[in-house]
């Protein structure tokens, strides 16, 4: 009788641990997907503006909105529950990638506002690759 009870308690503990890890993983993947969208939208807005397919006002609005979105993503990542060293490592990698995106989007927004153009979108593209790399790694480990 006691063995069954102990076994049941151990199984429930393991299941809870696994579900917490899965929940954290889903939160990280969602946040990285949102960060990817913000960076990709920023790149597209800049490219459309550079090819005179969009106005400066529209581009500034998109960059302002995407800056807000990616800053919100970074904040959401801070609240992901850490229950293991692996989850901590995954969150740290996601945060590093998202912070690179925050820096790139804010710099592009400020550059457009100050200079009426974004001279180089390489920083955004680099941040997008970093986010995509972490996202692919987390999806692969699911």
């Amino acid at each position: 009788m006691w063995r069954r009870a102990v076994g049941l308690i151990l199984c429930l503990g393991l299941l809870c641990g696994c579900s917490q890890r899965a929940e954290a993983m889903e939160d990280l993947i969602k946040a990285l997907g949102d960060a990817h969208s913000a960076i990709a939208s920023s790149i597209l807005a800049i490219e459309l503006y550079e090819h005179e397919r969009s106005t400066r006002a529209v581009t500034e609005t998109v960059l302002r909105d995407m800056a807000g979105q990616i800053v919100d993503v970074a904040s959401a990542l801070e609240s992901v529950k850490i229950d293991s060293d692996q989850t901590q490592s995954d969150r740290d990698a996601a945060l590093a990638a998202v912070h690179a995106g925050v820096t790139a989007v804010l710099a592009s927004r400020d550059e457009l506002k100050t200079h009426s153009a974004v001279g180089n979108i390489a920083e955004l593209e680099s941040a997008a690759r970093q986010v995509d790399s972490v996202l692919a790694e987390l999806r692969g480990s699911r």
Side-chain angles (χ1 to χ4, degrees):
M1 176 84 164
W2 285 103
R3 285 184 182 177
R4 286 185 188 174
V6 170
L8 181 60
I9 291 169
L10 286 174
C11 286
L12 287 174
L14 289 172
L15 288 174
C16 288
C18 291
S19 70
Q20 286 176 348
R21 167 102 172 107
E23 185 178 321
M25 185 69 69
E26 289 301 318
D27 290 345
L28 294 174
I29 289 171
K30 181 186 181 328
L32 287 165
D34 291 346
H36 169 87
S37 294
I39 296 167
S41 295
S42 298
I43 291 170
L44 179 60
I46 292 166
E47 288 176 345
L48 289 171
Y49 177 65
E50 288 176 347
H51 291 93
E52 298 177 357
R53 307 290 278 169
S54 182
T55 65
R56 179 177 171 184
V58 168
T59 307
E60 285 178 350
T61 300
V62 170
L63 291 176
R64 184 184 64 242
D65 291 350
M66 294 307 100
Q69 179 177 326
I70 201 163
V71 166
D72 289 346
V73 168
S75 295
L77 280 173
E78 294 288 344
S79 67
V80 171
K81 184 173 179 176
I82 302 301
D83 62 349
S84 69
D85 290 341
Q86 184 60 49
T87 305
Q88 177 73 47
S89 177
D90 292 342
R91 187 183 74 173
D92 290 348
L95 272 170
V98 169
H99 283 147
V102 168
T103 300
V105 172
L106 292 176
S108 296
R109 179 202 64 191
D110 295 346
E111 188 175 354
L112 180 65
K113 190 171 186 172
T114 305
H115 302 294
S116 300
V118 178
N120 189 351
I121 61 172
E123 187 178 356
L124 281 167
E125 292 168 340
S126 175
R129 285 190 299 275
Q130 190 175 350
V131 166
D132 290 347
S133 174
V134 174
L135 186 55
E137 186 177 315
L138 292 180
R139 283 182 174 153
S141 70
R142 250 183 13 195

